[in-house]
Amino acid sequence: MTPRPRTPLVHWTGVLPVAAVVLLALIWGRSLPSALVGTASLFLAAAVLAAVHHAEVIAHRVGEPFGSLVLAVAVTIIEVALIVTLMVDGGEKSAGLARDTVFAAVMITCNGIVGLCLLVGALKRRVAVFNAEGTGAELASVATLAGLSLVLPSFTTTTPGPQFSGPQLVFAASAALALYGLFVTTQTIRHRDYFLPLTTAGEVIDSEDHADPPTLRAALGSLGLLVLALVAVVGLAKAVSPTIESGVAAAGLPSSVVGVVIALLVLLPETIAAVRAARRDRIQTSINLGLGSAMASIGLTIPAVALATIWLKGPLVLGLGASHMVLLALTVVVGTLTVVPGRATVLQGSVHLTLLAAYLVLAVSP
């Protein structure tokens, strides 16, 4: 991902993350009137754009797939903090928030981000090319973690309802964390070449030769501003979440829609970065962002909420309903058929986007 080299920190991308954090500090814990909700939303959108810029600066400095990993992990860690905070504040009514948000993240990344990027890449070059070996490993990891964490709880019998018993939750959390750690090792060390972008002829692109990488000082400055921007994104999302929740309730929509909205807000930086990579024919980078975010969302959220159950009151509901299991199964099957050839057309991208649309429709009207 190639930014404009040596962007000064006094640029708007340097000022707005700081301003957004200041605004967050001023409004934290307060009931917001409509005017402040609108202001917070504007700063949230600006923080998203700033986060994308700084993630691209870092990615250009460290190269792929490290750049995609930085953004995915940074966003997910703060997303986890947001989920746990909302669960602490929400009591029993938020028992399914972690499940709803994680599943929304899986559907948005595996179908929304991946589908949109395949569509953009195929429209530009007729065929979007990516590495089937690396992408297949990512998809297999996502499918395994989603099955263990979100499907299996609906079929266990030790504890009533779609939830794990204590030992089962410990196993699921340990497996998620271990598999995510192994995935990161595979992606960045043992088989890094599987996760690098390809040309349309199938040749690996190991460097960007049309722009000088930023200096170490610029990259470190962008890292700090990326953290600030992501804190602002998640914090402002939480600040406006009461308005979102009241709007969802007033519209008569299911409470699970709140998890969908949270996931959409938090995944905005990755979505924008992935589409921009696809426009530069870096489809593998886009897929790394999409599936890597799904992996991070499950691999970090499930262990975090499992640990949080020590002090959280009420049950932790993780099991999906029947309709969502069908959508997850379709996503895995369609994803497998997309990955195997290592090439995708407009049709494959459109199929993934259709699955996302079906999920959003069922979220609003179960």
Side-chain angles (χ1 to χ4, degrees), residues 37 41 44 48 75 79 82-83 86 96-97 99-105 107-108 233-234 236-249 251 253-269 271 356 359-360 363-364:
V37 169
S41 299
L44 189 155
V48 166
V75 168
E79 174 191 354
L82 173 62
I83 292 172
L86 290 176
L97 180 64
R99 173 201 60 194
D100 296 335
T101 306
V102 169
F103 183 63
M107 296 302 292
I108 292 167
V233 168
V234 179
L236 292 174
K238 183 182 186 302
V240 301
S241 63
T243 303
I244 296 172
E245 291 173 352
S246 60
V248 167
L253 300 175
S255 59
S256 59
V257 173
V258 176
V260 178
V261 175
I262 290 173
L264 286 169
L265 290 174
V266 172
L267 289 170
L268 264 180
T271 303
L356 176 64
Y359 164 69
L360 295 176
V364 174

Side-chain angles (χ1 to χ4, degrees), residues 54-149:
H54 293 298
E56 290 183 338
V57 173
I58 297 167
H60 192 44
R61 172 70 188 187
V62 301
E64 283 298 320
F66 300 98
S68 302
L69 186 64
V70 168
L71 181 57
V73 172
V75 168
T76 304
I77 288 175
I78 302 178
E79 174 191 354
V80 168
L82 173 62
I83 292 172
V84 173
T85 302
L86 290 176
M87 290 182 70
V88 170
D89 295 341
E92 290 193 8
K93 69 179 183 179
S94 62
L97 180 64
R99 173 201 60 194
D100 296 335
T101 306
V102 169
F103 183 63
V106 170
M107 296 302 292
I108 292 167
T109 53
C110 294
N111 290 315
I113 295 179
V114 171
L116 184 59
C117 292
L118 291 179
L119 185 65
V120 169
L123 284 173
K124 184 172 183 179
R125 297 291 186 184
R126 296 181 62 86
V127 175
V129 179
F130 51 87
N131 194 318
E133 294 170 303
T135 306
E138 289 178 305
L139 181 62
S141 301
V142 171
T144 300
L145 286 186
L148 289 176
S149 303

Side-chain angles (χ1 to χ4, degrees), residues 1-15 17-18 47-62 67 70-71 74 213-231:
M1 294 181 282
T2 308
R4 295 172 183 172
R6 299 180 183 177
T7 301
L9 298 185
V10 294
H11 190 259
W12 70 268
T13 56
V15 174
V18 177
V48 166
L49 296 176
V52 172
H53 169 82
H54 293 298
E56 290 183 338
V57 173
I58 297 167
H60 192 44
R61 172 70 188 187
V62 301
V70 168
L71 181 57
T215 63
L216 178 61
R217 180 181 177 183
L220 291 175
S222 285
L223 179 61
L225 289 170
L226 172 63
V227 172
L228 282 180
L230 293 175
V231 168

